[in-house]
Amino acid sequence: MAANNSVVGGESSTYEINDRVIVVQVLVSVFLCINFLLITTFFMKDFYTAMRYILFAITLLSDSLLLIMTDILLIFNYFRFSMQMWLCVIIYIVLSIYIFVTPVTLTAMTLERYVAICMPLRHGELCSQSRALHCILIIHGLSSIPCIVSLSIFFASAPFSFYTQGRICSVEIFIFYKWQGHLRSAVQQFYFFMMCITIVFCYVKIMKVAKAAAGEDKKSTWKGLRTVILHAFQLLLCLIQLWCPFIEAAVLQNNLLLYINVRYINYITFILAPRCLSPLVYGLRDETFFLALKSYALCGLYKQQSSNVS
């Protein structure tokens, strides 16, 4: 009887995890469709001439790539598929870089709003299309530093035979010593600290301008302030994501079932949730982008209706 109960319990646990995988597939598919529509709108119009829209497109591309790759790894882990470690290293490099690209880009977008509101006369000079391309290179350069630090230590520690082994790909297999995890944590905390300082600085400066502004300027300034607040919330979720591997590693040592639950919650809350806020911040709140998005989403019907009304 006890054996039967344990079997039933095991089956229900398996079905529960299977349901979760299905939920994740649905959410990822919805977010990818939305992102694809937004990216199409970006390239169909002249949005690539403005820095804030260029940075917005970078977050959409980064989020889409991250969602696809993390979803593939989730499926591989669920079905216990192994792969050659050299392929896992390549996946680890891409994920390590693009986990940082979104929060660093959000910080750059906050700085762009600060320049637009607090330094409007210099906005055209500092936030031109050419400067945006330089900014993209800087964003990817800054995002690559934690990956370079981690991989340098990994390559110095891993034996050559390690790369020919077949294992289930995960972040934990790249850490051989505890101090490697501590070093990675220190680098991530430094990034967290610097981004928080930037967000707070921009918020305070924009708040001062908002209080001093009047009329239409005040309305535009407060709208920019709300955008900064949304960026701060989205950035907070992205940065908490950097702590998830350490929380999961600590839980794994105590309880496997709790580890599975915590990892699922972390994935939904700190990977999927921040990626659905980008369409909200710019795709829906920005009037110009929203009108273009609405036109393409309705296959031009909105544009025809507008012309008929005129």
Side-chain angles (χ1 to χ4, degrees):
M1 188 71 177
N4 291 336
N5 288 336
S6 63
V7 170
V8 172
E11 288 178 353
S12 66
S13 176
T14 303
Y15 284 125
E16 180 183 0
I17 297 174
N18 188 41
D19 292 341
R20 291 178 176 183
V21 172
I22 294 174
V23 169
V24 169
Q25 301 313 303
V26 172
L27 292 176
V28 169
S29 300
V30 170
F31 293 154
L32 286 177
C33 289
I34 295 174
N35 285 357
F36 177 76
L37 180 60
L38 292 171
I39 293 170
T40 303
T41 304
F42 170 80
F43 284 106
M44 294 295 288
K45 285 288 187 178
D46 294 333
F47 291 113
Y48 48 82
T49 59
M51 176 180 277
R52 61 173 175 165
Y53 295 122
I54 294 174
L55 295 179
F56 173 50
I58 293 299
T59 61
L60 292 175
L61 292 171
S62 172
D63 291 346
S64 299
L65 177 62
L66 195 65
L67 286 177
I68 292 172
M69 296 194 70
T70 55
D71 188 45
I72 291 174
L73 284 182
L74 183 144
I75 295 173
F76 275 34
N77 283 326
Y78 177 71
F79 291 105
R80 312 300 294 176
F81 289 152
S82 61
M83 65 177 67
Q84 291 291 318
M85 289 311 302
W86 63 267
L87 179 58
C88 185
V89 169
I90 295 175
I91 294 175
Y92 175 77
I93 292 173
V94 175
L95 288 179
S96 296
I97 294 174
Y98 280 92
I99 278 177
F100 280 93
V101 165
T102 293
V104 174
T105 305
L106 288 172
T107 305
M109 294 171 75
T110 302
L111 287 171
E112 187 275 333
R113 288 294 82 198
Y114 161 74
V115 173
I117 294 172
C118 299
M119 307 168 62
L121 298 179
R122 299 198 61 191
H123 182 261
E125 173 191 353
L126 297 177
C127 300
S128 62
Q129 186 177 12
S130 60
R131 292 291 180 90
L133 298 178
H134 295 156
C135 186
I136 293 172
L137 294 177
I138 294 173
I139 288 171
H140 283 78
L142 291 174
S143 302
S144 301
I145 293 176
C147 177
I148 293 173
V149 173
S150 298
L151 284 179
S152 298
I153 300 172
F154 167 73
F155 289 143
S157 305
F160 181 77
S161 59
F162 181 84
Y163 303 101
T164 59
Q165 297 177 7
R167 294 190 181 183
I168 296 175
C169 189
S170 64
V171 178
E172 290 77 12
I173 62 178
F174 292 94
I175 299 178
F176 292 99
Y177 309 104
K178 286 186 177 181
W179 63 267
Q180 289 179 262
H182 296 325
L183 178 61
R184 187 179 67 171
S185 176
V187 173
Q188 293 176 349
Q189 299 306 318
F190 175 75
Y191 271 65
F192 179 87
F193 181 68
M194 296 304 297
M195 291 177 189
C196 286
I197 289 178
T198 303
I199 292 289
V200 172
F201 170 80
C202 294
Y203 179 84
V204 172
K205 291 293 185 179
I206 294 175
M207 177 68 77
K208 290 181 179 179
V209 174
K211 291 182 177 180
E216 291 296 324
D217 289 339
K218 189 170 185 178
K219 181 180 179 181
S220 176
T221 303
W222 280 105
K223 184 177 180 180
L225 189 63
R226 289 193 296 269
T227 301
V228 172
I229 294 174
L230 284 173
H231 281 329
F233 178 68
Q234 186 180 7
L235 185 62
L236 177 63
L237 293 178
C238 290
L239 293 174
I240 291 176
Q241 171 195 334
L242 302 178
W243 296 340
C244 290
F246 308 105
I247 299 174
E248 293 167 3
V251 174
L252 180 60
Q253 297 177 357
N254 298 320
N255 191 309
L256 178 60
L257 182 58
L258 180 60
Y259 165 77
I260 294 173
N261 293 331
V262 169
R263 195 165 195 177
Y264 176 77
I265 294 173
N266 286 343
Y267 186 79
I268 296 294
T269 308
F270 303 119
I271 293 182
L272 292 185
R275 271 74 198 173
C276 73
L277 287 178
S278 290
L280 172 64
V281 175
Y282 271 112
L284 300 180
R285 293 185 68 250
D286 188 278
E287 184 177 355
T288 304
F289 196 93
F290 177 71
L291 291 176
L293 174 65
K294 190 174 182 180
S295 175
Y296 286 115
L298 298 178
C299 301
L301 293 178
Y302 176 77
K303 185 177 180 180
Q304 293 178 4
Q305 292 175 359
S306 299
S307 60
N308 291 336
V309 172
S310 300

